[in-house]
Amino acid sequence: MDQERSICGAMASNFIRPRWAALLLLFTVVAVASLQITTKAAFPRWPVFSGSAGLTSESPNDVVLASNDDDPRSCSRFFEGVPRRKVVKSIADFGGVGDGNTSNTETFRQAIRYLRRFGDRGGSQLNVPRGRWLTGSFNLTSNFTLFLEDGAVILGSQDPEEWPIIEPLPSYGRGRERLGGRHISLIHGDGLTNVVITGQNGTIDGQGKMWWELWWNRTLKYTRGHLLELMNSHNILISNLTFLNSPFWTIHPIYCSNVVIKNMTILAPLNAPNTDGIDPDSSTNVCIEDCYIESGDDLVAVKSGWDHYGISMARPSSNIIVRKVSGTTPTCSGVGIGSEMSGGVSNVTIEDMHIWDSAAGVRIKSDKGRGGYIANISISNIKMERVKIPIRFSRGSNDHPDKGWDPNAIPKVKGIYLSNVISLNSTKAPQLKGIEGALFEEICFKNFTILGLLKSTAWQCEFVSGYANEVFPMPCPELQKSGSLLCS
């Protein structure tokens, strides 16, 4: 498959049409309350794990993990904490040069090889001081902290040879963009535990323009690398940094557990192809919180494998929380689920988001051949401004890894709960297009308001069923079923 992948692209008796005064009141309440959620959960929640939460540092040599968080609803407790590192070194101790021109690839690799020996003796930390540190890909180690000081910038090498080719992911079967292997991420890790990547708002810049041009020119030989990818890893904290210009998806935890991504700024040009912000993939207990993202693709995308490879591996994504995320993407969505969801996606909470000038607010993407399931998705307290389509279910991408996909493998979607959502100046009504022969059921809307549509604009629904309470404008008949108490 060598073609270029396209970029994301009568009322029921219990339904009451809101009066304009009520709508104005709703808008005022939303603005004043700043999308604060009620303390009573409308939908099922799983237990939140105890443990250390935030990260504090008076100096880069004195990083400790705090046991509390100012927000009692924070999901950062997924990170279990780590002890103070016993050995702290600077990249300059290994001969690194931060002039923006000298390659530090071997320096980073040598430094981490040296620090690896302290993994079972209290762990280690590598500081990156102020400067511009050019490097190719390097691998992290367990019981390790990478700390970027104020003014520190790690720059991705412009030499593709410094982004080596590695094996494709087993749940994808091939590179996502090209057959065969894929370029390793700039910062990579496999089989790690107790890793912290943080700093004093230092920057990691993938300098992705070279890679985007290979894509645009159709001369890309292998799938582009991520800025940061961690595989088969546990207890990870990524915080207090700025990530820029990733060649491909920016942060990609895959086959991981207990991952916290917090207080991050992620930026890429709005036309940069497939530069997703954060993509948890076949991972569990993932917290994405207090992040600002601008990208040329989904701000956050939850995935779990591609067609028959994902079905065979059967590694779902579950217990994912996305909260207090804001940003814009002109071609894609604030949060996407799929389209690679063949291992299953369940127990996802999306809340307290602000999305503007985007193609879609929330998008659920699937297709024939995907199989898998999407279940128990709670979406609440979302504010959208100038978002073209507030909520979209899409299909028909005809996007498969090879000829081995099964056209009879259809996804199952059950339990999508949307509440307290307001979309201002939208141009299209929701589009909920399921798949013929598949179950797309218990799609539930409550207190869902779209303002700015023409009176003639109607919802588009196919092969879905569900319920609606306090929804404006009038939803499609497929959502006007009896039993809407499930939405109360």
Side-chain angles (χ1 to χ4, degrees):
M1 187 188 76
D2 289 329
Q3 292 182 341
E4 299 293 339
R5 178 185 173 210
S6 63
I7 301 179
C8 318
M11 302 296 294
S13 60
N14 59 0
F15 177 81
I16 301 175
R17 180 186 179 94
R19 298 177 180 176
W20 283 109
L23 288 174
L24 181 59
L25 177 60
L26 170 64
F27 176 74
T28 303
V29 169
V30 169
V32 173
S34 299
L35 299 176
Q36 294 181 12
I37 192 169
T38 60
T39 56
K40 181 179 179 182
F43 305 112
R45 295 289 193 270
W46 52 89
V48 177
F49 303 119
S50 62
S52 298
L55 182 142
T56 63
S57 61
E58 294 183 0
S59 73
N61 294 340
D62 187 33
V63 177
V64 296
L65 290 172
S67 60
N68 63 329
D69 193 291
D70 291 338
D71 184 352
R73 295 176 52 248
S74 171
C75 55
S76 60
R77 300 179 192 85
F78 283 168
F79 181 68
E80 298 165 354
V82 297
R84 190 185 306 273
R85 305 306 191 189
K86 296 295 185 180
V87 176
V88 179
K89 293 287 187 179
S90 167
I91 190 66
D93 296 336
F94 299 88
V97 179
D99 62 4
N101 296 310
T102 303
S103 175
N104 293 281
T105 305
E106 288 305 319
T107 306
F108 273 101
R109 293 173 182 175
Q110 176 190 354
I112 295 173
R113 282 196 298 268
Y114 172 81
L115 294 170
R116 183 178 296 130
R117 68 183 69 181
F118 303 102
D120 58 354
R121 289 184 277 169
S124 60
Q125 177 173 318
L126 180 64
N127 293 337
V128 181
R130 177 179 291 274
R132 296 172 63 81
W133 306 86
L134 181 67
T135 181
S137 301
F138 59 89
N139 286 283
L140 304 181
T141 187
S142 291
N143 302 308
F144 176 79
T145 296
L146 178 66
F147 189 96
L148 276 69
E149 298 179 24
D150 180 36
V153 180
I154 292 178
L155 297 171
S157 170
Q158 297 290 279
D159 181 1
E161 297 296 322
E162 292 206 284
W163 302 64
I165 306 301
I166 59 174
E167 293 293 317
L169 293 163
S171 56
Y172 285 73
R174 46 158 285 184
R176 186 60 184 85
E177 300 178 294
R178 292 289 181 263
L179 293 171
R182 61 204 182 97
H183 287 279
I184 196 171
S185 58
L186 180 65
I187 300 175
H188 196 260
D190 190 359
L192 307 183
T193 57
N194 304 329
V195 171
V196 177
I197 303 167
T198 190
Q200 298 164 327
N201 198 32
T203 297
I204 301 177
D205 185 347
Q207 301 197 103
K209 185 177 180 181
M210 172 192 73
W211 299 98
W212 310 330
E213 289 177 345
L214 292 173
W215 170 262
W216 289 324
N217 296 335
R218 299 175 180 250
T219 55
L220 187 68
K221 294 181 180 179
Y222 297 97
T223 296
R224 293 168 281 165
H226 309 290
L227 199 59
L228 169 64
E229 180 180 72
L230 298 177
M231 304 170 54
N232 303 299
S233 297
H234 173 78
N235 202 37
I236 308 297
L237 174 64
I238 304 163
S239 68
N240 301 326
L241 295 171
T242 296
F243 280 11
L244 303 176
N245 303 319
S246 178
F248 194 44
W249 306 342
T250 305
I251 300 177
H252 186 221
I254 183 163
Y255 321 136
C256 290
S257 60
N258 292 78
V259 178
V260 172
I261 304 169
K262 184 177 177 68
N263 295 328
M264 293 292 295
T265 299
I266 299 173
L267 305 174
L270 298 181
N271 66 338
N274 308 110
T275 49
D276 297 30
I278 305 170
D279 288 9
D281 197 340
S282 293
S283 293
T284 187
N285 300 336
V286 178
C287 169
I288 301 168
E289 184 174 58
D290 295 303
C291 294
Y292 178 83
I293 306 172
E294 294 181 2
S295 82
D297 211 290
D298 294 329
L299 306 185
V300 176
V302 182
K303 302 175 180 291
S304 66
W306 196 8
D307 284 6
H308 46 297
Y309 296 106
I311 295 171
S312 177
M313 191 166 183
R315 287 285 297 269
S317 277
S318 63
N319 292 3
I320 312 287
I321 299 178
V322 181
R323 64 186 303 268
K324 297 199 292 185
V325 170
S326 61
T328 181
T329 169
T331 58
C332 292
S333 54
V335 176
I337 298 178
S339 70
E340 309 92 322
M341 38 65 65
S342 303
V345 175
S346 66
N347 287 355
V348 177
T349 296
I350 303 164
E351 63 185 14
D352 301 342
M353 289 194 68
H354 184 197
I355 306 163
W356 61 88
D357 295 323
S358 299
V362 177
R363 186 177 179 189
I364 293 176
K365 300 175 279 187
S366 59
D367 208 350
K368 290 184 177 179
R370 291 292 192 263
Y373 57 86
I374 298 173
N376 195 26
I377 313 298
S378 172
I379 303 163
S380 63
N381 292 357
I382 312 295
K383 181 180 180 180
M384 308 180 199
E385 297 180 86
R386 300 175 301 281
V387 171
K388 188 175 182 180
I389 305 174
I391 175 74
R392 184 180 182 191
F393 296 179
S394 60
R395 66 187 182 215
S397 62
N398 194 28
D399 183 15
H400 306 287
D402 53 39
K403 295 181 180 179
W405 68 281
D406 180 4
N408 295 317
I410 54 176
K412 297 178 181 179
V413 176
K414 183 175 182 179
I416 312 294
Y417 309 105
L418 299 101
S419 65
N420 302 331
V421 176
I422 185 165
S423 183
L424 308 175
N425 297 313
S426 292
T427 56
K428 291 189 177 182
Q431 297 180 3
L432 309 181
K433 297 183 178 181
I435 296 172
E436 187 174 8
L439 293 174
F440 279 60
E441 57 185 355
E442 292 186 21
I443 314 302
C444 185
F445 288 78
K446 180 182 179 182
N447 194 15
F448 188 101
T449 301
I450 307 171
L451 301 178
L453 296 177
L454 297 174
K455 291 183 179 180
S456 59
T457 305
W459 291 46
Q460 298 181 32
C461 302
E462 291 182 320
F463 310 118
V464 299
S465 65
Y467 318 100
N469 278 333
E470 302 173 41
V471 175
F472 180 85
M474 180 186 300
C476 52
E478 289 86 345
L479 300 181
Q480 299 174 32
K481 308 289 184 182
S482 60
S484 59
L485 287 176
L486 293 173
C487 285
S488 62

